[in-house]
Amino acid sequence: MALDELRKKIRNKEAKVGVIGLGYVGLPLAVAFGEGGFSVTGIDLDKNKIALLRRGRSYVQDVPSGALKPLLKKKRFYPTDDYSALSHADAMIICVPTPLSKTKEPDISFVIDATQKIAKVLKKGALVVLESTTYPGTTEEVMRPILEGPGLRAEKDFFLAFSPERVDPGNPDYDTVSIPKVVGGVGRHSALAATALYGSVLKQVVEVSSAKTAEMVKLLENTFRSVNIGLVNEIAMMCDRLGIDIWEVIEAAKTKPFGFMPFYPGPGLGGHCLPIDPLYLSWKSRLHGFEAKMIDLAARVNEGMPLYVVKRIAHVLNLRRVPLKKSKILILGAAYKRNIDDTRESPAMDVIQHLLEEGAEVSYSDPFVPSVRLGRTTLTSKKLTREWIRKQQCVVVLTDHAAFDWRLVVKNARLILDTRNALRRFHPLKNLYFL
Ligand SMILES: NC(=O)c1ccc[n+]([C@@H]2O[C@H](COP(=O)([O-])OP(=O)(O)OC[C@H]3O[C@@H](n4cnc5c(N)ncnc54)[C@H](O)[C@@H]3O)[C@@H](O)[C@H]2O)c1
């Protein structure tokens, strides 16, 4: 029976694994399977990435180049842009992007493209898993018909499952292998096949009853975060009006040992997940005549944060009779969160854009991000020196990278707006304001 054969190959580490999309998610996963003893073919359409990987050079912060070289040497990792290399694959895992379109609707064209290409090489008895975050129903309603197109039947001739990726880039405590993996198949055989695959290299697999449920699990997790961040952002703006320090409130509230979980305000949501994933869910639920009010409201609050930060900058400058126009503003941090180099959807881009539109003279410093492009303007990261800080009318902390020399900032800045509570230990200072 096909399932038994596949499970046997997985047990003996003879199964050939394909990982499609070698980005923040796919590359660590390919390495995890390679290090777990499997031979992995990694597919990416980006030829530059393939060239780098073949030279043993990683472009993903969580994957050291040192981890690639032994895998390449032992032929446990073969990066290519050619899908025909998957014709012997026993398991294929899709990790391609799932962005929003210009009209903020799900764009699953990358998933469809990868699925169509896999359909051409899919052999009997193989397993296909989607890891890209997407709306409930994508695996069953979109991928299944494409894969069954050439005459194969899911559950009988091949297996199909969804398994959400939960990796948290830059988190030193949890990685691909240690984060529990949720798995849901389009049928029982598919679930068993996917559970066997992940169970062979990851610490814990959590099986759910369907692919649709697994898709929903991921969206619940990220919607939970987005809504709670939206709530705390709203409370932060409210606290400002009421003259209460939101950070002090959260510190005290989190001493409650049950029923409260701290979320922190900030300049807005960023990354490929939180600003996007909940909108996949609200879009899908709208198709079913259900309006997801909380999701859309949280998205509106969070999207408004960069502009709110700009208003706060103008306000603190105003307290010193300095107009925003022509002010020199130094932004600390362009990445969307601390200690990583990812600027996708980063609120820093919006803050900088708004400041430029207001006529401010903006520079930024970020040890992980050498340059940023905003329309036709390219800014390059400034070295954080005493002289540069002293030239600024205002320094704005948007990302609290551990590498920043906060003492240098506090000693030399004329005025600081800290949106991350990074400078709390220096509080109170006359020139230091928090979000
Ligand atoms: N980055 C995260 O922290 C994170 C966490 C959890 C889930 N996810 C989800 O994982 C998925 C991938 O995210 P990512 O951050 O790794 O994206 P990414 O942009 O870093 O990587 C995706 C890769 O897929 C490649 N690609 C695009 N179309 C392709 C195709 N048809 N065939 C082969 N390769 C193709 C791209 O060149 C790119 O290298 C998304 O759905 C995202 O929502 C991301």
Side-chain angles (χ1 to χ4, degrees):
M1 190 183 147
L3 177 62
D4 291 336
E5 255 175 59
L6 178 61
R7 288 202 287 193
K8 191 170 159 212
K9 276 188 180 176
I10 291 170
R11 238 187 349 264
N12 298 336
K13 308 273 163 100
E14 287 160 9
K16 303 227 172 315
V17 176
V19 175
I20 297 101
L22 299 171
Y24 288 92
V25 165
L27 189 58
L29 191 72
V31 168
F33 275 101
E35 289 179 343
F38 289 93
S39 151
V40 181
T41 300
I43 305 276
D44 203 291
L45 298 185
D46 185 334
K47 289 186 190 321
N48 292 330
K49 285 186 178 170
I50 296 301
L52 282 171
L53 293 175
R54 286 192 174 168
R55 292 205 299 275
R57 290 193 33 208
S58 171
Y59 42 79
V60 170
Q61 215 181 316
D62 289 343
V63 176
S65 296
L68 293 178
K69 285 178 184 140
L71 295 178
L72 291 163
K73 212 167 149 200
K74 286 189 226 157
K75 301 208 182 333
R76 292 254 194 84
F77 182 43
Y78 173 62
T80 176
D81 62 349
D82 180 5
Y83 271 79
S84 69
L86 293 177
S87 56
H88 300 292
D90 300 292
M92 284 164 276
I93 308 173
I94 303 177
C95 309
V96 297
T98 42
L100 291 173
S101 69
K102 285 210 171 90
T103 53
K104 300 226 160 188
E105 295 193 346
D107 172 5
I108 58 161
S109 59
F110 299 91
V111 173
I112 293 174
D113 181 62
T115 311
Q116 285 169 338
K117 286 173 174 149
I118 286 173
K120 291 192 184 136
V121 293
L122 182 65
K123 64 170 193 179
K124 272 197 171 181
L127 163 70
V128 180
V129 186
L130 178 63
E131 286 213 5
S132 305
T133 309
T134 184
Y135 58 79
T138 308
T139 309
E140 179 74 55
E141 295 158 16
V142 180
M143 289 179 67
R144 185 174 186 162
I146 298 173
L147 294 170
E148 289 186 335
L152 299 180
R153 297 295 311 275
E155 283 289 282
K156 189 168 147 283
D157 302 316
F158 71 95
F159 308 107
L160 177 61
F162 182 82
S163 178
E165 178 56 58
R166 294 162 138 178
V167 72
D168 183 18
N171 186 331
D173 300 325
Y174 296 99
D175 62 9
T176 305
V177 173
S178 60
I179 301 170
K181 197 88 174 95
V182 171
V183 161
V186 298
R188 182 76 184 126
H189 288 182
S190 296
L192 289 172
T195 302
L197 179 71
Y198 288 113
S200 66
V201 290
L202 309 185
K203 288 217 172 106
Q204 191 191 344
V205 180
V206 181
E207 193 188 318
V208 294
S209 62
S210 64
K212 198 158 77 169
T213 305
E215 289 160 338
M216 191 66 177
V217 168
K218 174 72 188 177
L219 294 181
L220 169 63
E221 290 167 7
N222 280 0
T223 301
F224 172 81
R225 285 182 57 73
S226 152
V227 167
N228 277 290
I229 294 169
L231 173 67
V232 83
N233 276 334
E234 189 171 79
I235 303 269
M237 293 188 279
M238 187 194 295
C239 278
D240 181 48
R241 293 280 177 96
L242 299 175
I244 297 168
D245 183 338
I246 178 68
W247 303 96
E248 192 187 346
V249 173
I250 298 169
E251 278 311 301
K254 80 181 194 196
T255 59
K256 187 179 179 190
F258 47 85
F260 183 81
M261 194 178 174
F263 284 85
Y264 298 95
L269 293 184
H272 186 1
C273 298
L274 296 191
I276 295 174
D277 302 350
L279 301 185
Y280 265 65
L281 188 53
S282 58
W283 175 85
K284 181 68 177 180
S285 73
R286 250 195 326 276
L287 289 188
H288 289 257
F290 184 86
E291 196 195 338
K293 298 188 201 72
M294 304 270 265
I295 295 178
D296 291 341
L297 185 59
R300 274 214 302 281
V301 173
N302 291 328
E303 279 165 17
M305 289 313 286
L307 199 53
Y308 177 71
V309 169
V310 173
K311 280 192 188 150
R312 291 277 291 143
I313 299 169
H315 174 72
V316 296
L317 283 168
N318 206 25
L319 294 175
R320 309 201 151 209
R321 299 171 201 278
V322 179
L324 179 55
K325 202 176 172 79
K326 293 222 173 346
S327 271
K328 290 186 172 51
I329 312 284
L330 171 60
I331 300 291
L332 296 187
Y336 79 87
K337 69 172 183 177
R338 75 194 307 252
N339 304 341
I340 64 160
D341 61 359
D342 195 350
T343 57
R344 288 178 297 175
E345 317 288 328
S346 173
M349 303 304 135
D350 285 342
V351 171
I352 295 173
Q353 188 69 49
H354 288 311
L355 287 171
L356 291 172
E357 282 163 14
E358 293 296 329
E361 292 176 25
V362 189
S363 62
Y364 85 95
S365 180
D366 190 315
F368 296 98
V369 183
S371 67
V372 296
R373 233 186 123 66
L374 296 125
R376 287 205 202 116
T377 314
T378 300
L379 300 179
T380 49
S381 175
K382 287 274 176 197
K383 198 162 177 266
L384 204 55
T385 62
R386 193 175 73 145
E387 292 68 33
W388 190 252
I389 296 171
R390 284 188 173 178
K391 279 192 181 138
Q392 309 302 314
Q393 263 83 35
C394 186
V395 176
V396 183
V397 180
L398 292 187
T399 318
D400 49 344
H401 292 310
F404 281 131
D405 183 347
W406 298 120
R407 196 163 290 281
L408 183 80
V409 174
V410 167
K411 262 177 118 179
N412 295 289
R414 285 186 236 175
L415 187 61
I416 306 169
L417 176 67
D418 178 2
T419 70
R420 298 286 190 181
N421 206 29
L423 303 175
R424 178 60 52 171
R425 67 180 188 275
F426 301 103
H427 185 66
L429 288 176
K430 268 204 195 121
N431 62 343
L432 172 59
Y433 296 86
F434 293 92
L435 187 71

